[in-house]
């Protein structure tokens, strides 16, 4: 059974200095995509991939908040875990940024990553409200323009500061909705994208009919775990 490989981009991280100048954290991992498993690890897994169940796989995505970064190093950190579909969406965001030949992955890339993954609750909610990957790509190009024909995206595409904030706000949304237990999901990620009101992801969602009322519906979904097809 073959496994595909993806790469996680370099993420701008704040330094622990008074100037708070951003540094770059290189996250070099292998991403193996199998029919029922998606494994991310900087080393060979200690057990066969075929034995993995997707519901059991969690991983802490990069954070710019020192307290979150410290918590991620603690064993069995419940509140800093991300769902499998959120991890896939994060990885696919870089793929979408590269597809459009952009130098960075912003909130628009995170949004496209959610839709490309396609099996998650946030994607289903967006589709139920008429927001598709094709429309988001089209609005992204309208808003950000096309890259030069001969431009090549960097080997490791960094997140924008707003995309990093969206990820951190996703964890905040998760803590508000379900507390420390459970995982941060694509629904929380989408709410994090919507919270960045001056950024491309928000503007694209708004242009396609997403609004604060739908965000409130989404927050209720995060609490109940049930996607309403409206």
């Amino acid at each position: 059974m073959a496994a595909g490989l993806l790469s996680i981009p370099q993420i701008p991280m704040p330094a622990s200095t008074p100037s708070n100048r951003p540094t770059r954290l290189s996250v070099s991992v292998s991403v193996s995509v199998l029919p029922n498993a998606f494994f991310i690890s900087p080393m060979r897994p200690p057990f066969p991939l075929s034995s993995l169940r997707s519901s059991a796989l969690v991983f802490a995505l990069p954070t710019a908040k020192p307290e979150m970064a410290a918590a991620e190093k603690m064993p069995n950190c419940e509140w800093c875990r991300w769902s499998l579909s959120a991890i896939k969406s994060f990885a696919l965001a870089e793929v979408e940024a590269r597809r459009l030949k952009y130098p960075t992955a912003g909130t628009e890339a995170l949004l496209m990553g959610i839709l490309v993954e396609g099996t998650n609750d946030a994607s289903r909610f967006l589709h139920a409200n008429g927001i598709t990957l094709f429309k988001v790509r089209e609005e992204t190009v309208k808003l950000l323009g096309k890259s030069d024909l001969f431009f090549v995206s960097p080997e490791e595409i960094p997140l924008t500061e707003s995309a990093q904030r969206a990820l951190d706000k996703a964890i905040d949304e998760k803590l508000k909705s379900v507390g420390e237990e459970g995982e941060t999901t694509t629904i929380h990620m989408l709410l994090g994208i919507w919270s960045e009101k001056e950024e491309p992801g928000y503007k694209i969602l708004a242009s396609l009919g997403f609004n604060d009322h739908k965000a409130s519906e989404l927050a209720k979904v995060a609490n109940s775990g049930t996607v309403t097809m409206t």
Side-chain angles (χ1 to χ4, degrees), residues 78-79 171 173-183 223:
E78 292 292 334
W79 65 267
I171 295 180
E173 289 291 338
K174 180 258 185 180
L175 292 173
K176 285 194 302 183
S177 63
V178 296
E180 293 188 359
E181 295 184 359
E183 301 169 332
N223 286 319

Side-chain angles (χ1 to χ4, degrees), residues 88-89 92-100 102 107-120 122-142 190 193 204-205 207-208:
K88 288 183 181 180
S89 298
L92 291 168
E94 180 191 359
V95 176
E96 286 304 298
R98 191 178 300 282
R99 179 195 296 272
L100 293 174
Y102 287 163
T107 52
E108 76 290 338
L110 293 178
L111 177 58
M112 287 186 283
I114 289 172
L115 288 164
V116 172
E117 198 281 331
T119 67
N120 60 79
S123 177
R124 287 196 287 268
F125 184 91
L126 291 171
H127 274 276
N129 286 277
I131 301 175
T132 65
L133 176 61
F134 176 80
K135 291 179 180 178
V136 169
R137 278 183 183 152
E138 188 175 50
E139 291 299 317
T140 297
V141 172
K142 285 182 184 178
L190 184 54
I193 294 169
I204 292 165
L205 284 169
S207 70
L208 295 174

